[in-house]
Amino acid sequence: MIEIHDLTKAYRTSAVETTALNHVNLEVNKGEFIAIMGPSGCGKSTLLNILGMLDTPDSGRYGFLGEDVAGYSEGQLADIRKENIGFIFQSFNLVDELSVADNVMLPLLYQQVAPAERKKRVTEVLERVGIAHRADHRPQQLSGGQQQRVAVARAVVTNPKLILADEPTGNLDTSNGEEVLELLGQLNGEGTTVIMVTHDQSHADHAGRVVNMLDGRVLTENIVGMQKAGEARHAQ
């Protein structure tokens, strides 16, 4: 599904250049659940942003569903992104002025889905994440756990092939965090590929593979979770 080779990314100011990704290589198969771990500043979020086509690499290859998208224009990337990728952020990124249902509906508006189909999909996905009874509420009327459920619903309402989650439990207590991880696990069990950035090893254990990063590089990849606990292989 994803193949990145020799990917580099640096951020420059007039005084300093910071290398965020340093010749990164990674493959992701369809249906995997991958956790990306590492200390702050190691390149996790930069990698996730490039995988989500919110940022572009300086060099290297990014193969997504068989296409090398590394040199695509923003318009081309936006078209691929809205058809294939759902995002879940630590800060929820909900629109306070919109109801829960309207927040979840936003990606369908971008895809120009017909009104009747939009309503059907929103109703179904809100029921799926257990928040249908709050459809008419505003985000500020919800708890943190409920807001993240809405964010999950918004991410999956388009039936994306890939979900990218950046510290999705970072603003939640333990109980709500586990519920969100269970939701991601359910979606992955139904065939959706999930890539999650996390600092928490117990959260990473929900994944099938953990990618450990340091100083912009992939150091190791460990098979965990239900697949083959404790077996490790070094990244090439």
Side-chain angles (χ1 to χ4, degrees):
M1 182 181 198
I2 289 173
E3 182 180 355
I4 62 175
H5 178 68
D6 215 24
L7 212 66
T8 67
K9 180 68 178 181
Y11 296 101
R12 301 169 181 86
T13 67
S14 58
V16 67
E17 176 176 306
T18 301
T19 299
L21 297 178
N22 188 2
H23 301 284
V24 170
N25 298 289
L26 182 68
E27 292 186 12
V28 179
N29 296 317
K30 180 181 178 181
E32 280 199 277
F33 188 162
I34 293 178
I36 301 175
M37 297 193 71
S40 296
C42 73
K44 304 186 301 298
S45 292
T46 298
L47 178 58
L48 204 72
N49 285 339
I50 290 176
L51 292 176
M53 305 178 201
L54 299 173
D55 201 354
T56 55
D58 293 332
S59 64
R61 181 180 187 275
Y62 175 16
F64 183 78
L65 297 176
E67 296 183 62
D68 185 359
V69 302
Y72 277 21
S73 69
E74 175 52 38
Q76 290 173 306
L77 294 175
D79 287 341
I80 296 173
R81 186 169 61 235
K82 70 183 181 182
E83 294 294 331
N84 296 285
I85 303 174
F87 296 89
I88 304 171
F89 302 97
Q90 177 178 351
S91 56
F92 315 138
N93 283 16
L94 302 177
V95 181
D96 288 338
E97 292 77 20
L98 298 180
S99 69
V100 164
D102 286 342
N103 267 281
V104 174
M105 191 179 293
L106 278 176
L108 301 178
L109 293 173
Y110 298 142
Q111 289 187 351
Q112 299 182 331
V113 175
E117 177 66 14
R118 291 201 304 263
K119 184 176 180 180
K120 176 176 177 289
R121 285 206 212 174
V122 169
T123 298
E124 289 175 349
V125 76
L126 288 177
E127 289 176 352
R128 184 179 185 184
V129 302
I131 203 73
H133 62 295
R134 296 285 196 169
D136 295 327
H137 288 68
R138 300 292 177 89
Q140 60 266 35
Q141 296 175 294
L142 307 181
S143 69
Q146 289 172 330
Q147 289 187 60
Q148 195 60 294
R149 284 175 175 270
V150 176
V152 171
R154 182 186 56 192
V156 304
V157 72
T158 59
N159 299 316
K161 297 178 177 67
L162 171 66
I163 290 177
L164 299 176
D166 193 358
E167 297 281 0
T169 61
N171 285 332
L172 303 178
D173 60 29
T174 301
S175 176
N176 283 312
E178 283 297 320
E179 288 182 1
V180 169
L181 290 168
E182 287 175 9
L183 279 173
L184 291 176
Q186 290 170 14
L187 294 166
N188 177 246
E190 294 165 5
T192 305
T193 305
V194 178
I195 302 177
M196 173 180 70
V197 163
T198 181
H199 283 95
D200 192 317
Q201 182 62 58
S202 67
H203 294 171
D205 288 342
H206 285 260
R209 177 157 55 114
V210 177
V211 174
N212 294 286
M213 295 187 67
L214 182 67
D215 296 335
R217 290 182 176 272
V218 172
L219 292 184
T220 60
E221 299 178 38
N222 304 302
I223 307 301
V224 295
M226 298 296 292
Q227 295 184 30
K228 199 179 290 183
E231 181 175 311
R233 64 183 176 84
H234 287 281
Q236 297 300 315

